[in-house]
Amino acid sequence: MSLKSLGPLVLTSPTLRAVSRLRHAGLRRLTGRPRTLHAFIERDQPYSHLLLQALPRLAEHYPVEISWHEVGPPDRSAAPEPDKLAAWSREDARHLATAWKLDPTPQAWPQTAGPDAGDALRTKLGHYGSAMTWFEGEWYWGLDRLHHLESRLGGQSPLFSPIPEPDAASGGMLDVFLSLRSPYSYLAAMRLFDLAEHWQATIRLRPVLPMVMRALPVPRSKRFYIVRDCKREAERLGLPFGHIADPVGIGVERGLALLVGEINRGRGRAFLQAYMTAVWSQGVDAASDAGLRRICEVAGVSWDQAGKDLSDDAWRAVVEANRVELFEHGHWGVPSFKVGDRIAFGQDRLWLAGRWLEEAAAQDQARTRNQ
């Protein structure tokens, strides 16, 4: 095992996480402090207004206090498409408000020390974003991660359980924009095909280059949060995660060459899942011939066929066309899920894509009845 792959294993270690929790709890008891949720909220940000409603609900059910901190927007390096993010946040917050019976409109603002103090504390504690809750060493984003927080607080039936995917849909096309370097794309890739079969939907894989390979740098604090957050989500989903061999650069390019070739041959699922499992949970170096050959063996791709795909640069035009379409629909990140003209962003929104498939099926049935 290389030192490079050892770092993520340490970063995502459940043992170290447990030790950190015990240390924070011990210090709190020694000092006599109450259990306190530190909430970092941004004015005019929809997710923050949802958090303003959600955290008081938690405080009614668990012995915690809330300390509110106003912060400014994240740096452009952490949120490289602020206009697209703002537009999607407004739409996404409406979906979340409906699902969790909250008010999507702006809420009364608590008294805080101002954004300068909030920004300083947020940086000190190791984060970059807003609508974030910090509790004794760990961060929880928006409403989507409150179930992890509730688990720490002792909740047996979380108020904010993950929103379930629909039981069924009736066909339709699900376009999936993803990146081989995105751990959230890995979490989605290992679930979406079974869901699509359940929904009787057809998946069209739309790979794109990672942001960092599109001249969009990712700050260290964001990388650390994403890896730790993906570990918690992987545990919830029953997926292995943490023995990582970052494929950035040549590993991604070689993977995309083979993935596009396998998609064209109607076998994209096998290669995608084999590749993602290898680099995100087995520490396989996709940039090496030995690593890529191992992935091909699992996916059922002959090494002769792999060589042909690697010598063909046609994949570059495909992934660039996918990126252009993603941006034309007002999105920039992955994984994203497109149903008709609507796109949902993030592996947490597979349920939303499923609901759109349901709606589209119902509309098709109504049109058929009216003909």
Side-chain angles (χ1 to χ4, degrees):
M1 184 183 301
S2 70
L3 290 176
K4 188 174 182 180
S5 65
L6 183 61
L9 276 176
V10 173
L11 192 64
T12 61
S13 167
T15 299
L16 290 183
R17 182 175 59 204
V19 169
S20 174
R21 290 179 177 183
L22 287 172
R23 181 175 63 84
H24 279 279
L27 287 173
R28 168 171 42 81
R29 294 188 186 101
L30 284 173
T31 57
R33 296 194 305 267
R35 293 202 294 184
T36 303
L37 309 180
H38 291 270
F40 295 81
I41 51 176
E42 178 187 341
R43 287 185 185 273
D44 302 323
Q45 198 237 28
Y47 298 126
S48 292
H49 288 291
L50 296 182
L51 200 62
L52 279 167
Q53 301 168 68
L55 289 187
R57 285 192 187 182
L58 262 64
E60 293 175 358
H61 286 77
Y62 305 101
V64 294
E65 296 184 1
I66 305 171
S67 180
W68 300 100
H69 308 279
E70 182 182 353
V71 293
D75 292 339
R76 197 177 184 93
S77 60
E81 297 289 342
D83 294 338
K84 289 182 173 63
L85 175 60
W88 166 244
S89 297
R90 289 190 294 270
E91 179 182 349
D92 191 38
R94 288 194 293 270
H95 296 303
L96 294 177
T98 299
W100 274 308
K101 297 180 173 57
L102 298 172
D103 185 349
T105 61
Q107 303 296 301
W109 200 256
Q111 185 174 357
T112 69
D116 290 342
D119 288 346
L121 180 59
R122 177 176 63 180
T123 300
K124 178 182 177 181
L125 295 176
H127 214 275
Y128 56 91
S130 49
M132 297 297 306
T133 304
W134 185 91
F135 176 65
E136 297 186 353
E138 292 177 41
W139 289 95
Y140 304 89
W141 178 74
L143 275 62
D144 288 278
R145 296 296 178 266
L146 290 185
H147 62 94
H148 288 303
L149 173 58
E150 290 190 73
S151 178
R152 283 189 70 186
L153 297 176
Q156 299 299 314
S157 300
L159 300 174
F160 295 94
S161 297
I163 301 171
E165 290 86 10
D167 289 334
S170 298
M173 178 68 71
L174 178 61
D175 285 89
V176 180
F177 296 85
L178 52 82
S179 160
L180 295 180
R181 201 206 176 210
S182 160
Y184 291 120
S185 290
Y186 161 65
L187 297 181
M190 304 310 291
R191 304 164 56 212
L192 63 90
F193 293 97
D194 289 339
L195 283 171
E197 289 176 5
H198 187 62
W199 295 334
Q200 303 174 48
T202 300
I203 286 182
R204 185 160 51 194
L205 294 175
R206 312 292 296 277
V208 299
L209 280 173
M211 286 198 299
V212 72
M213 293 173 67
R214 289 184 268 143
L216 298 172
V218 180
R220 183 172 180 266
S221 60
K222 185 174 183 178
R223 294 197 305 271
F224 277 24
Y225 172 74
I226 286 174
V227 170
R228 289 184 174 122
D229 182 53
C230 282
K231 179 63 174 181
R232 289 185 307 205
E233 283 293 282
E235 290 173 343
R236 177 178 71 85
L237 297 168
L239 296 171
F241 181 83
H243 189 188
I244 299 169
D246 188 350
V248 66
I250 190 66
V252 166
E253 292 186 342
R254 286 157 62 89
L256 285 171
L258 270 65
L259 176 59
V260 170
E262 286 297 285
I263 290 171
N264 291 339
R265 291 184 286 273
R267 301 196 299 258
R269 173 181 182 171
F271 182 80
L272 174 65
Q273 292 186 330
Y275 183 100
M276 294 299 236
T277 299
V279 302
W280 294 109
S281 70
Q282 298 173 346
V284 175
D285 181 8
S288 70
D289 281 350
L292 196 58
R293 185 189 288 264
R294 176 176 166 181
I295 294 169
C296 287
E297 289 174 354
V298 173
V301 179
S302 73
W303 193 240
D304 286 343
Q305 181 61 64
K308 295 176 184 177
D309 289 338
L310 292 172
S311 65
D312 186 352
D313 272 351
W315 66 268
R316 295 183 185 277
V318 173
V319 299
E320 174 59 14
N322 291 340
R323 183 200 66 80
V324 169
E325 181 171 342
L326 184 65
F327 270 62
E328 286 176 347
H329 282 273
H331 283 261
W332 70 102
V334 293
S336 289
F337 311 102
K338 176 174 173 286
V339 178
D341 291 328
R342 297 187 287 187
I343 293 186
F345 170 44
Q347 66 96 15
D348 299 293
R349 296 298 174 266
L350 271 169
W351 62 268
L352 185 56
R355 291 189 182 182
W356 288 343
L357 286 168
E358 272 188 317
E359 292 174 8
Q363 291 169 359
D364 287 343
Q365 291 172 0
R367 281 194 291 268
T368 299
R369 287 194 300 269
N370 293 330
Q371 286 178 353

